[in-house]
Protein backbone atom coordinates (compact mmCIF):
# COMPACT_ATOMS: atom_id res chain seq x y z
CA UNK A 1 0.00 0.00 0.00
CA UNK A 2 2.92 2.33 0.67
CA UNK A 3 3.82 1.78 -2.98
CA UNK A 4 0.44 3.15 -4.10
CA UNK A 5 1.10 6.16 -1.89
CA UNK A 6 4.35 6.84 -3.73
CA UNK A 7 2.42 6.93 -7.01
CA UNK A 8 -0.24 9.20 -5.56
CA UNK A 9 2.47 11.50 -4.19
CA UNK A 10 4.17 11.59 -7.59
CA UNK A 11 0.85 12.41 -9.25
CA UNK A 12 0.04 15.18 -6.76
CA UNK A 13 -2.95 13.22 -5.49
CA UNK A 14 -1.91 12.80 -1.87
CA UNK A 15 -3.42 15.20 0.65
CA UNK A 16 -1.16 17.58 2.59
CA UNK A 17 -0.99 15.54 5.79
CA UNK A 18 -0.18 12.28 4.02
CA UNK A 19 2.39 14.06 1.83
CA UNK A 20 4.21 15.44 4.87
CA UNK A 21 4.14 12.02 6.48
CA UNK A 22 5.61 10.38 3.35
CA UNK A 23 8.29 13.07 3.02
CA UNK A 24 9.27 12.46 6.63
CA UNK A 25 9.46 8.71 5.97
CA UNK A 26 11.65 9.33 2.93
CA UNK A 27 14.19 11.34 4.91
CA UNK A 28 14.51 8.37 7.24
CA UNK A 29 14.55 5.65 4.57
CA UNK A 30 17.04 6.05 1.71
CA UNK A 31 15.53 2.94 0.09
CA UNK A 32 12.10 4.55 -0.01
CA UNK A 33 13.61 7.76 -1.35
CA UNK A 34 15.41 5.75 -4.07
CA UNK A 35 12.15 3.98 -5.01
CA UNK A 36 10.49 7.34 -5.39
CA UNK A 37 13.32 8.71 -7.54
CA UNK A 38 13.09 5.69 -9.88
CA UNK A 39 9.39 6.21 -10.18
CA UNK A 40 9.89 9.87 -10.99
CA UNK A 41 12.45 8.99 -13.68
CA UNK A 42 10.11 6.47 -15.25
CA UNK A 43 7.27 8.96 -15.36
CA UNK A 44 9.56 11.58 -16.90
CA UNK A 45 10.80 9.06 -19.48
CA UNK A 46 7.22 8.31 -20.54
CA UNK A 47 6.29 11.98 -20.77
CA UNK A 48 9.40 12.83 -22.78
CA UNK A 49 9.40 9.88 -25.14
CA UNK A 50 5.86 8.66 -25.72
CA UNK A 51 4.28 9.67 -29.01
CA UNK A 52 1.38 12.09 -28.84
CA UNK A 53 -1.01 11.40 -31.71
CA UNK A 54 -2.79 14.54 -32.84
CA UNK A 55 -6.08 14.12 -34.70
CA UNK A 56 -6.05 14.20 -38.50
CA UNK A 57 -7.16 17.52 -39.96
CA UNK A 58 -10.52 16.20 -41.12
CA UNK A 59 -11.70 16.04 -37.49
CA UNK A 60 -11.16 19.74 -37.08
CA UNK A 61 -13.74 22.23 -38.23
CA UNK A 62 -13.07 24.74 -40.93
CA UNK A 63 -10.01 23.03 -42.37
CA UNK A 64 -9.36 23.84 -45.96
CA UNK A 65 -6.21 21.88 -46.72
CA UNK A 66 -6.31 18.93 -49.10
CA UNK A 67 -5.81 15.68 -47.26
CA UNK A 68 -3.24 13.76 -49.21
CA UNK A 69 -3.66 10.62 -47.10
CA UNK A 70 -7.21 10.40 -48.36
CA UNK A 71 -6.36 11.21 -51.93
CA UNK A 72 -4.07 8.16 -52.14
CA UNK A 73 -6.84 5.51 -51.95
CA UNK A 74 -9.02 7.73 -54.11
CA UNK A 75 -6.30 7.74 -56.71
CA UNK A 76 -5.96 3.96 -56.60
CA UNK A 77 -9.68 3.61 -57.08
CA UNK A 78 -9.56 5.99 -60.00
CA UNK A 79 -6.91 3.82 -61.65
CA UNK A 80 -8.85 0.64 -60.92
CA UNK A 81 -11.92 2.11 -62.47
CA UNK A 82 -9.87 2.87 -65.55
CA UNK A 83 -10.83 6.50 -65.61
CA UNK A 84 -8.59 8.62 -67.78
CA UNK A 85 -5.84 10.49 -65.97
CA UNK A 86 -6.77 13.53 -68.02
CA UNK A 87 -10.01 13.81 -66.10
CA UNK A 88 -8.10 13.68 -62.86
CA UNK A 89 -5.82 16.50 -63.89
CA UNK A 90 -8.67 18.55 -65.26
CA UNK A 91 -10.62 18.60 -62.01
CA UNK A 92 -11.69 22.07 -60.99
CA UNK A 93 -10.37 23.41 -57.69
CA UNK A 94 -13.48 24.71 -56.05
CA UNK A 95 -13.35 26.16 -52.59
CA UNK A 96 -16.05 23.92 -51.14
CA UNK A 97 -14.14 22.07 -48.40
CA UNK A 98 -17.12 19.87 -47.59
CA UNK A 99 -17.21 18.91 -51.25
CA UNK A 100 -13.73 17.42 -50.94
CA UNK A 101 -14.56 15.71 -47.66
CA UNK A 102 -17.72 14.04 -48.94
CA UNK A 103 -15.76 12.58 -51.86
CA UNK A 104 -13.19 11.26 -49.39
CA UNK A 105 -16.00 9.80 -47.29
CA UNK A 106 -17.51 8.14 -50.36
CA UNK A 107 -14.12 6.60 -51.20
CA UNK A 108 -13.54 5.41 -47.64
CA UNK A 109 -16.96 3.79 -47.39
CA UNK A 110 -16.56 2.13 -50.78
CA UNK A 111 -13.07 0.80 -50.06
CA UNK A 112 -14.02 -0.45 -46.62
CA UNK A 113 -17.20 -2.05 -47.98
CA UNK A 114 -19.22 -0.27 -45.32
CA UNK A 115 -21.69 1.75 -47.32
CA UNK A 116 -24.69 1.36 -45.07
CA UNK A 117 -25.36 1.17 -41.35
CA UNK A 118 -29.04 0.69 -42.01
CA UNK A 119 -29.65 -1.47 -45.07
CA UNK A 120 -33.16 -1.03 -46.38
CA UNK A 121 -34.90 -0.12 -49.60
CA UNK A 122 -37.81 1.23 -47.58
CA UNK A 123 -37.77 5.00 -47.10
CA UNK A 124 -40.04 4.56 -44.08
CA UNK A 125 -37.30 2.53 -42.37
CA UNK A 126 -34.35 4.67 -43.41
CA UNK A 127 -35.81 8.07 -42.53
CA UNK A 128 -36.70 7.30 -38.87
CA UNK A 129 -33.33 5.58 -38.41
CA UNK A 130 -31.57 8.78 -39.47
CA UNK A 131 -33.91 11.11 -37.57
CA UNK A 132 -33.22 9.22 -34.36
CA UNK A 133 -29.48 9.74 -34.74
CA UNK A 134 -29.16 13.23 -36.14
CA UNK A 135 -30.18 16.69 -34.98
CA UNK A 136 -32.23 17.00 -38.19
CA UNK A 137 -34.48 14.83 -40.34
CA UNK A 138 -33.28 14.46 -43.93
CA UNK A 139 -35.81 13.85 -46.72
CA UNK A 140 -35.53 10.30 -48.07
CA UNK A 141 -36.94 9.84 -51.57
CA UNK A 142 -37.96 6.55 -53.14
CA UNK A 143 -36.61 6.71 -56.68
CA UNK A 144 -36.87 3.01 -57.50
CA UNK A 145 -39.60 3.60 -60.15
CA UNK A 146 -37.00 5.68 -61.98
CA UNK A 147 -34.33 2.98 -61.75
CA UNK A 148 -32.40 4.30 -58.75
CA UNK A 149 -32.74 1.80 -55.92
CA UNK A 150 -32.40 2.97 -52.33
CA UNK A 151 -30.10 0.52 -50.53
CA UNK A 152 -29.75 2.21 -47.13
CA UNK A 153 -27.94 4.96 -45.26
CA UNK A 154 -25.11 5.67 -42.87
CA UNK A 155 -24.01 8.53 -40.64
CA UNK A 156 -20.91 10.51 -41.33
CA UNK A 157 -18.95 13.15 -39.48
CA UNK A 158 -17.18 15.60 -41.76
CA UNK A 159 -15.39 18.86 -40.95
CA UNK A 160 -17.02 19.32 -37.57
CA UNK A 161 -20.58 18.36 -38.43
CA UNK A 162 -22.67 15.25 -38.80
CA UNK A 163 -24.22 14.37 -42.11
CA UNK A 164 -26.69 11.81 -43.37
CA UNK A 165 -25.39 9.71 -46.26
CA UNK A 166 -28.18 8.11 -48.30
CA UNK A 167 -27.02 5.31 -50.53
CA UNK A 168 -28.62 4.54 -53.90
CA UNK A 169 -27.58 2.17 -56.67
CA UNK A 170 -27.92 2.37 -60.45
CA UNK A 171 -26.83 -0.98 -61.91
CA UNK A 172 -23.58 -1.60 -60.00
CA UNK A 173 -22.80 2.08 -59.50
CA UNK A 174 -23.05 3.39 -55.95
CA UNK A 175 -24.52 6.87 -55.52
CA UNK A 176 -23.93 8.60 -52.20
CA UNK A 177 -26.23 11.49 -51.30
CA UNK A 178 -24.90 13.56 -48.39
CA UNK A 179 -27.47 15.73 -46.64
CA UNK A 180 -26.93 18.46 -44.08
CA UNK A 181 -29.18 21.29 -42.91
CA UNK A 182 -28.60 24.93 -43.76
CA UNK A 183 -28.18 27.34 -46.65
CA UNK A 184 -30.63 29.04 -48.96
CA UNK A 185 -31.80 27.22 -52.06
CA UNK A 186 -29.10 26.91 -54.68
CA UNK A 187 -29.32 25.55 -58.23
CA UNK A 188 -27.40 22.34 -58.95
CA UNK A 189 -23.76 22.76 -59.85
CA UNK A 190 -21.80 19.87 -61.25
CA UNK A 191 -18.10 19.15 -61.10
CA UNK A 192 -15.63 16.30 -61.08
CA UNK A 193 -13.29 15.55 -58.24
CA UNK A 194 -10.74 12.73 -58.14
CA UNK A 195 -12.58 11.16 -61.06
CA UNK A 196 -15.96 11.14 -59.31
CA UNK A 197 -18.92 13.08 -60.57
CA UNK A 198 -20.29 15.43 -57.93
CA UNK A 199 -23.46 17.51 -57.99
CA UNK A 200 -24.38 19.86 -55.20
CA UNK A 201 -27.48 21.90 -54.61
CA UNK A 202 -29.60 23.24 -51.75
CA UNK A 203 -33.34 22.95 -51.44
CA UNK A 204 -35.94 23.15 -48.69
CA UNK A 205 -33.38 24.10 -46.02
CA UNK A 206 -31.11 21.15 -46.83
CA UNK A 207 -27.79 21.00 -48.65
CA UNK A 208 -27.08 17.99 -50.87
CA UNK A 209 -23.89 16.58 -52.32
CA UNK A 210 -24.29 13.70 -54.76
CA UNK A 211 -21.12 11.66 -55.32
CA UNK A 212 -20.81 8.74 -57.73
CA UNK A 213 -18.77 7.11 -60.46
CA UNK A 214 -21.97 6.99 -62.51
CA UNK A 215 -21.78 8.82 -65.83
CA UNK A 216 -22.60 12.51 -65.83
CA UNK A 217 -25.84 12.24 -67.87
CA UNK A 218 -27.46 9.73 -65.57
CA UNK A 219 -26.23 11.54 -62.46
CA UNK A 220 -27.78 14.79 -63.72
CA UNK A 221 -31.01 12.88 -64.26
CA UNK A 222 -30.78 11.52 -60.69
CA UNK A 223 -30.15 15.02 -59.30
CA UNK A 224 -33.21 16.37 -61.13
CA UNK A 225 -35.38 13.60 -59.64
CA UNK A 226 -34.02 14.26 -56.15
CA UNK A 227 -34.55 18.02 -56.38
CA UNK A 228 -38.04 17.82 -57.75
CA UNK B 1 -25.27 30.51 -30.29
CA UNK B 2 -26.22 27.52 -32.39
CA UNK B 3 -25.73 24.03 -31.11
CA UNK B 4 -23.10 23.37 -33.77
CA UNK B 5 -21.17 26.53 -32.90
CA UNK B 6 -21.18 25.57 -29.19
CA UNK B 7 -20.04 22.07 -30.09
CA UNK B 8 -17.17 23.48 -32.13
CA UNK B 9 -16.22 25.85 -29.35
CA UNK B 10 -16.44 23.42 -26.42
CA UNK B 11 -15.70 19.99 -27.85
CA UNK B 12 -13.45 20.36 -30.88
CA UNK B 13 -10.50 21.80 -28.87
CA UNK B 14 -10.24 18.32 -27.27
CA UNK B 15 -10.23 16.34 -30.49
CA UNK B 16 -6.43 15.82 -30.32
CA UNK B 17 -6.72 14.30 -26.84
CA UNK B 18 -9.60 12.16 -28.14
CA UNK B 19 -7.57 10.89 -31.06
CA UNK B 20 -4.50 10.30 -28.90
CA UNK B 21 -6.53 8.06 -26.59
CA UNK B 22 -8.18 6.18 -29.48
CA UNK B 23 -4.80 5.76 -31.17
CA UNK B 24 -3.15 4.35 -28.04
CA UNK B 25 -6.03 1.97 -27.34
CA UNK B 26 -6.43 0.66 -30.91
CA UNK B 27 -2.72 0.98 -31.68
CA UNK B 28 -3.09 1.97 -35.31
CA UNK B 29 -4.16 5.03 -37.29
CA UNK B 30 -6.86 3.44 -39.39
CA UNK B 31 -8.82 1.94 -36.50
CA UNK B 32 -8.33 5.06 -34.36
CA UNK B 33 -9.81 7.04 -37.21
CA UNK B 34 -12.88 4.81 -37.44
CA UNK B 35 -13.42 4.79 -33.68
CA UNK B 36 -13.06 8.55 -33.40
CA UNK B 37 -15.47 9.09 -36.28
CA UNK B 38 -18.04 7.03 -34.40
CA UNK B 39 -17.29 8.72 -31.07
CA UNK B 40 -17.59 12.24 -32.53
CA UNK B 41 -21.00 11.37 -33.93
CA UNK B 42 -22.13 10.16 -30.53
CA UNK B 43 -20.67 13.24 -28.86
CA UNK B 44 -22.56 15.46 -31.28
CA UNK B 45 -25.74 13.54 -30.65
CA UNK B 46 -25.47 13.65 -26.87
CA UNK B 47 -24.01 17.14 -26.69
CA UNK B 48 -27.12 18.57 -25.03
CA UNK B 49 -26.43 16.28 -22.07
CA UNK B 50 -23.02 17.83 -21.43
CA UNK B 51 -22.62 19.46 -18.01
CA UNK B 52 -19.28 20.88 -16.93
CA UNK B 53 -15.89 20.17 -18.46
CA UNK B 54 -16.07 18.86 -22.04
CA UNK B 55 -12.67 17.17 -21.92
CA UNK B 56 -13.34 14.21 -19.59
CA UNK B 57 -16.86 14.01 -21.07
CA UNK B 58 -15.51 13.58 -24.61
CA UNK B 59 -12.74 11.22 -23.48
CA UNK B 60 -15.31 9.01 -21.71
CA UNK B 61 -17.27 8.72 -24.97
CA UNK B 62 -14.08 7.93 -26.91
CA UNK B 63 -13.00 5.40 -24.28
CA UNK B 64 -16.33 3.60 -24.46
CA UNK B 65 -16.24 3.60 -28.26
CA UNK B 66 -12.75 2.07 -28.07
CA UNK B 67 -13.86 -0.67 -25.69
CA UNK B 68 -16.91 -1.46 -27.81
CA UNK B 69 -14.67 -1.66 -30.85
CA UNK B 70 -12.10 -3.84 -29.07
CA UNK B 71 -14.85 -6.17 -27.83
CA UNK B 72 -16.09 -6.61 -31.40
CA UNK B 73 -12.74 -6.83 -33.15
CA UNK B 74 -10.07 -7.93 -30.68
CA UNK B 75 -11.84 -9.51 -27.71
CA UNK B 76 -8.64 -11.30 -26.68
CA UNK B 77 -7.14 -7.96 -25.68
CA UNK B 78 -9.86 -7.43 -23.12
CA UNK B 79 -9.63 -10.82 -21.44
CA UNK B 80 -9.58 -10.24 -17.74
CA UNK B 81 -6.18 -9.31 -16.46
CA UNK B 82 -5.32 -10.13 -12.90
CA UNK B 83 -5.51 -6.79 -11.19
CA UNK B 84 -4.58 -8.12 -7.77
CA UNK B 85 -1.59 -6.32 -6.42
CA UNK B 86 1.40 -8.61 -6.68
CA UNK B 87 3.76 -8.40 -3.74
CA UNK B 88 6.76 -7.28 -5.73
CA UNK B 89 9.26 -4.56 -4.99
CA UNK B 90 8.87 -1.10 -6.50
CA UNK B 91 10.11 -0.19 -9.96
CA UNK B 92 13.58 -1.44 -10.77
CA UNK B 93 16.18 1.09 -11.64
CA UNK B 94 15.94 1.97 -15.27
CA UNK B 95 18.37 4.25 -16.94
CA UNK B 96 16.01 6.86 -18.28
CA UNK B 97 18.72 8.55 -20.26
CA UNK B 98 19.34 5.40 -22.28
CA UNK B 99 15.74 4.88 -23.23
CA UNK B 100 14.83 5.83 -26.74
CA UNK B 101 11.43 6.81 -28.04
CA UNK B 102 10.92 3.49 -29.74
CA UNK B 103 11.52 1.43 -26.61
CA UNK B 104 9.14 3.57 -24.55
CA UNK B 105 6.42 3.52 -27.22
CA UNK B 106 6.68 -0.24 -27.64
CA UNK B 107 6.58 -0.79 -23.89
CA UNK B 108 3.41 1.30 -23.50
CA UNK B 109 1.79 -0.45 -26.46
CA UNK B 110 2.53 -3.81 -24.81
CA UNK B 111 0.57 -2.95 -21.64
CA UNK B 112 -2.85 -4.55 -21.14
CA UNK B 113 -5.64 -2.14 -22.14
CA UNK B 114 -6.83 -1.08 -18.62
CA UNK B 115 -3.29 -0.19 -17.55
CA UNK B 116 -2.44 1.45 -20.87
CA UNK B 117 -5.51 3.64 -20.73
CA UNK B 118 -4.77 4.79 -17.17
CA UNK B 119 -1.15 5.57 -18.03
CA UNK B 120 -1.97 7.49 -21.23
CA UNK B 121 -4.62 9.58 -19.47
CA UNK B 122 -2.29 10.34 -16.56
CA UNK B 123 1.09 10.88 -18.25
CA UNK B 124 0.06 12.20 -21.66
CA UNK B 125 -3.15 14.04 -20.81
CA UNK B 126 -2.17 15.00 -17.25
CA UNK B 127 -5.63 14.20 -15.94
CA UNK B 128 -6.48 13.84 -12.24
CA UNK B 129 -7.36 10.46 -10.72
CA UNK B 130 -10.92 11.72 -10.40
CA UNK B 131 -11.21 12.47 -14.12
CA UNK B 132 -9.55 9.18 -15.07
CA UNK B 133 -11.96 7.32 -12.77
CA UNK B 134 -14.89 9.03 -14.47
CA UNK B 135 -13.59 8.28 -17.96
CA UNK B 136 -12.79 4.62 -17.24
CA UNK B 137 -15.90 4.12 -15.11
CA UNK B 138 -14.01 2.71 -12.12
CA UNK B 139 -13.40 3.86 -8.51
CA UNK B 140 -10.46 6.18 -7.77
CA UNK B 141 -8.73 3.39 -5.80
CA UNK B 142 -8.75 1.25 -8.94
CA UNK B 143 -7.20 4.07 -10.96
CA UNK B 144 -4.43 4.31 -8.36
CA UNK B 145 -3.67 0.59 -8.40
CA UNK B 146 -3.85 0.40 -12.20
CA UNK B 147 -1.37 3.24 -12.53
CA UNK B 148 0.98 1.60 -10.04
CA UNK B 149 0.65 -1.66 -11.93
CA UNK B 150 1.18 0.06 -15.32
CA UNK B 151 4.38 1.69 -14.12
CA UNK B 152 5.68 -1.50 -12.59
CA UNK B 153 5.01 -3.42 -15.81
CA UNK B 154 6.65 -0.66 -17.82
CA UNK B 155 9.81 -0.76 -15.77
CA UNK B 156 9.88 -4.55 -16.10
CA UNK B 157 9.55 -4.34 -19.88
CA UNK B 158 12.10 -1.56 -20.19
CA UNK B 159 14.69 -2.84 -17.74
CA UNK B 160 16.15 -5.77 -19.73
CA UNK B 161 16.64 -3.61 -22.80
CA UNK B 162 18.37 -0.92 -20.79
CA UNK B 163 20.57 -3.10 -18.64
CA UNK B 164 21.31 -6.06 -20.92
CA UNK B 165 24.88 -6.19 -22.23
CA UNK B 166 25.11 -4.95 -25.78
CA UNK B 167 25.19 -7.69 -28.38
CA UNK B 168 28.39 -7.92 -30.32
CA UNK B 169 27.81 -7.82 -34.04
CA UNK B 170 30.31 -9.70 -36.17
CA UNK B 171 30.69 -8.26 -39.56
Amino acid sequence: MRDDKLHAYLDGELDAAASLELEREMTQSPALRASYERLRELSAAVRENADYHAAPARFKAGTRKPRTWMLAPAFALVLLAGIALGMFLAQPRDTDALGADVVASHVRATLAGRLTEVASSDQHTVKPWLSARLPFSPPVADLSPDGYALVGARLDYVAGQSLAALVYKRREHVIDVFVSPGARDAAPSAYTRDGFNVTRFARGGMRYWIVSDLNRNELDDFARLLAR
Amino acid sequence: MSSRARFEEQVLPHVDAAYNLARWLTRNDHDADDVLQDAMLRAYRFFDGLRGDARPWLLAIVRNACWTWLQANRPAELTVVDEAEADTPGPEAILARELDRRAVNQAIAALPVPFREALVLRELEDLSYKDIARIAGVPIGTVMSRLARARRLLSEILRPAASAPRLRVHK
Side-chain angles (χ1 to χ4, degrees), chain A residues 3-4 7-8 10-11 13 35 38-39 41-43 45-56 58-61 69 108 114 132-135 155-157 159-162 180-181 207, chain B residues 4 7-8 12 15-17 19-20 23-24 33-34 36-37 40-41 44-45 91-94 96-97 99-101 104-105 108 122-126 128-129 144-145 147-148 151-152 154 158:
Chain A
D3 190 46
D4 276 7
H7 290 267
L10 173 75
D11 292 326
E13 297 272 350
S35 286
R38 286 196 293 268
L39 204 55
E41 278 190 19
L42 178 68
S43 170
V46 169
R47 285 171 183 244
E48 281 165 30
N49 291 296
D51 288 340
Y52 193 93
H53 303 277
R58 72 185 195 87
F59 287 107
K60 295 167 186 178
W69 65 277
R108 278 163 55 83
R114 281 184 304 199
R133 288 165 179 78
L134 288 166
L155 301 175
D156 224 318
Y157 182 84
Q161 55 184 290
S162 32
S180 138
R207 290 182 292 170
Chain B
R4 183 185 301 161
F7 183 81
E8 287 188 5
L12 286 191
V15 76
D16 280 341
Y19 186 79
N20 187 49
R23 177 65 178 70
W24 272 111
D33 213 87
D34 279 357
L36 186 60
Q37 166 99 6
M40 292 307 286
L41 266 170
Y44 193 82
R45 209 178 130 204
E92 297 288 335
I94 52 152
R97 274 158 253 98
L99 292 175
D100 61 12
R101 297 195 75 85
V104 171
N105 283 315
I108 299 170
R122 175 64 211 142
E123 303 289 23
L124 301 188
E125 298 301 342
D126 216 16
S128 66
Y129 287 7
M144 197 185 290
S145 58
L147 264 177
R151 286 171 174 148
R152 187 170 305 117
L154 261 193
L158 290 169

Side-chain angles (χ1 to χ4, degrees), chain B residues 133-161:
Chain B
R134 182 178 158 196
I135 292 164
V138 296
I140 287 179
T142 305
V143 171
M144 197 185 290
S145 58
R146 281 183 182 177
L147 264 177
R149 185 76 181 278
R151 286 171 174 148
R152 187 170 305 117
L153 284 169
L154 261 193
S155 68
E156 279 167 18
I157 298 167
L158 290 169
R159 183 169 43 94

Side-chain angles (χ1 to χ4, degrees), chain A residues 30-41:
Chain A
L32 186 63
R33 161 65 63 185
S35 286
Y36 174 70
E37 288 304 326
R38 286 196 293 268
L39 204 55
R40 207 174 48 75
E41 278 190 19

Side-chain angles (χ1 to χ4, degrees), chain B residues 10 36 42-43 46 48 60 62 65 83-84 92 94 101 106 110 142 165 167 169-170:
Chain B
Q10 293 180 33
L36 186 60
R42 283 188 214 193
F46 297 121
D48 287 341
V62 171
E83 294 202 31
E92 297 288 335
I94 52 152
R101 297 195 75 85
Q106 284 177 349
T142 305
L167 290 175
V169 179
H170 298 281

Side-chain angles (χ1 to χ4, degrees), chain A residues 3 11 17 53-54 56 68 86 119-120 128 134 136 149 165 177 182 186 191 194 204 208:
Chain A
D3 190 46
D11 292 326
H53 303 277
T68 48
S120 172
L134 288 166
F136 60 97
V177 180
Y191 55 97
D194 303 344
Y208 298 79

Side-chain angles (χ1 to χ4, degrees), chain A residues 103-116:
Chain A
V103 171
S105 167
H106 174 78
V107 171
R108 278 163 55 83
T110 312
L111 285 179
R114 281 184 304 199
L115 286 168
T116 59

